Amino acid sequence: MTVDDHDSTGDDAAGDGSLTTEETFALVGDEVRAEILRALSAERGGEGELPSLSFSELRERVDADVRSSQFNYHLQRLVDHFVENRAEGTAQLIEDVVPSDDDGYALRPEGTTLTRTIRARTGTGEGSLDPVAVGLDCYHCGTAVEATYDNATFVLQCPDCEYLYEYDLVPPGILDGEAETLSRAAEYVRHVRLAFARGVCPLCGNAVDTSFDPPGETGYPRPDLRAVCVNRSCDHCGHRNYLKVGEALLRDPDLVSFCRERGLDVTSTPIWELAFAATDRDVDVRSTDPWEVALEVELDGETLELVVDGNLAVVERNYA
Ligand SMILES: [Zn+2]
Ligand SMILES: [Zn+2]
């Protein structure tokens, strides 16, 4: 469908206030409306009350070269979708934290989510990180593994055998405070992986689909060093993630406590330092139809074996 920006009444096709993806892109694609959202987001800050701006304050902050009536037209296009006019009531979610005499304009939760997403991925310049050793010898060939960050992508790879440890879209905020970049990248990657592992899209909260893909068909380097790639994908927003079986099981309470009791905290150790999660060397594909895949974690001479089915549900637990 097409959206005629200026002839539209602003009504949505469904009539329930919701917008299609196309309508949303069209709505925020205008310069004045984008500036309104930016100004309200800048006002919000990270603490205290959820502030609002009066019409004149907002117009002053936006500093757009448009007549008042035109500015109001753009502002009203956003109201009820990304912006609320508190004179007409406040989103139920936040009404308890808004002063009752507040009658300005502020971001709705949808506007907050949108502007946070944009701010998280922009505004810090073209951040990059030259190859830096992460203090890990490649599990396959012993060469020092290196991390890089470029084009908003965090990559951890062995420069010799090319085994890929991490390849993730990560916001440039990890570069803020150079010394902590690696630990922050590790935490961010874990956060995304564990959401997918638990079956929830970390971007949109939808349930995800699961498939076990042959490594040779994924485009990943060195498929010969992989047993299977667990693909979790969200058909709502398109987010997806390839998990190693060990990564997918990092949320398993038995695995967490088995490791903890033997001095290994898998909740804080970077995933690339956990051999059972960073490689497939402890993974055994028992069956492909139906899928049955075993992971063996060995610590201090004892082993925990977890077996998952094609939906990543643990169907067997064996201690030895
Ligand atoms: Zn290597
Ligand atoms: Zn999603």
Side-chain angles (χ1 to χ4, degrees):
M1 69 173 287
T2 57
V3 175
D4 187 332
D5 194 58
H6 289 277
D7 291 341
S8 167
T9 60
D11 290 342
D12 57 275
D16 61 359
S18 65
L19 294 169
T20 65
T21 306
E22 292 88 341
E23 287 167 332
T24 302
F25 278 124
L27 193 55
V28 301
D30 172 86
E31 205 175 326
V32 175
R33 296 198 286 267
E35 261 301 296
I36 290 172
L37 292 172
R38 186 207 57 75
L40 290 172
S41 175
E43 190 65 19
R44 167 149 286 184
E47 55 188 34
E49 283 181 355
L50 300 172
S52 67
L53 293 173
S54 68
F55 182 87
S56 56
E57 285 172 329
L58 185 55
R59 199 175 166 215
E60 203 178 288
R61 307 280 168 98
V62 170
D63 195 26
D65 190 20
V66 292
R67 294 190 313 276
S68 180
S69 60
Q70 212 177 347
F71 182 81
N72 189 47
Y73 160 78
H74 287 298
L75 176 57
Q76 297 312 319
R77 290 291 310 276
L78 292 168
V79 168
D80 291 342
H81 298 302
F82 295 106
V83 172
E84 64 184 10
N85 176 358
R86 288 183 177 167
E88 294 173 1
T90 296
Q92 204 176 6
L93 185 67
I94 57 169
E95 65 185 2
D96 291 342
V97 290
V98 172
S100 56
D101 59 350
D102 187 339
D103 61 357
Y105 291 91
L107 291 176
R108 284 173 55 90
E110 296 89 337
T112 302
T113 303
L114 176 73
T115 52
R116 278 183 187 163
T117 304
I118 293 170
R119 289 173 68 179
R121 301 278 168 172
T122 57
T124 53
E126 286 287 304
S128 66
L129 178 71
D130 290 334
V132 56
V134 300
L136 173 73
D137 293 336
C138 177
Y139 297 108
H140 298 295
C141 76
T143 305
V145 174
E146 293 177 342
T148 56
Y149 183 81
D150 210 5
N151 296 319
T153 308
F154 178 72
V155 180
L156 205 72
Q157 190 169 25
C158 172
D160 189 13
C161 76
E162 297 186 336
Y163 182 80
L164 193 60
Y165 288 89
E166 300 286 348
Y167 187 91
D168 300 281
L169 293 177
V170 171
I174 60 154
L175 299 173
D176 181 29
E178 231 171 78
E180 299 159 14
T181 289
L182 285 176
S183 58
R184 212 176 290 127
E187 287 303 334
Y188 189 87
V189 167
R190 182 204 314 282
H191 151 78
V192 172
R193 291 259 201 277
L194 283 183
F196 274 112
R198 292 189 167 105
V200 178
C201 174
L203 269 186
C204 75
N206 276 260
V208 296
D209 298 322
T210 310
S211 66
F212 284 53
D213 296 352
E217 293 174 13
T218 61
Y220 271 64
R222 298 306 305 264
D224 56 308
L225 296 175
R226 297 292 307 274
V228 67
C229 295
V230 183
N231 182 17
R232 286 221 132 161
S233 58
C234 171
D235 67 5
H236 182 70
C237 76
H239 200 11
R240 59 183 295 201
N241 204 254
Y242 270 121
L243 297 168
K244 296 172 183 97
V245 175
E247 290 175 321
L249 288 169
L250 279 177
R251 41 66 174 172
D252 183 85
D254 281 356
L255 185 147
V256 173
S257 59
F258 175 83
C259 294
R260 180 71 178 152
E261 284 160 13
R262 288 154 186 83
L264 175 63
D265 180 3
V266 299
T267 67
S268 64
T269 306
I271 293 175
W272 57 79
E273 290 182 14
L274 303 168
F276 71 85
T279 71
D280 281 355
R281 68 183 194 183
D282 303 310
V283 171
D284 178 31
V285 178
R286 289 182 174 178
S287 160
T288 57
D289 188 19
W291 280 97
E292 199 177 273
V293 179
L295 172 77
E296 201 174 80
V297 180
E298 185 181 346
L299 286 172
D300 297 344
E302 293 172 282
T303 58
L304 166 64
E305 184 186 56
L306 298 174
V307 182
V308 295
D309 65 12
N311 291 316
L312 280 180
V314 177
V315 293
E316 224 179 279
R317 298 168 189 274
N318 304 309
Y319 290 88

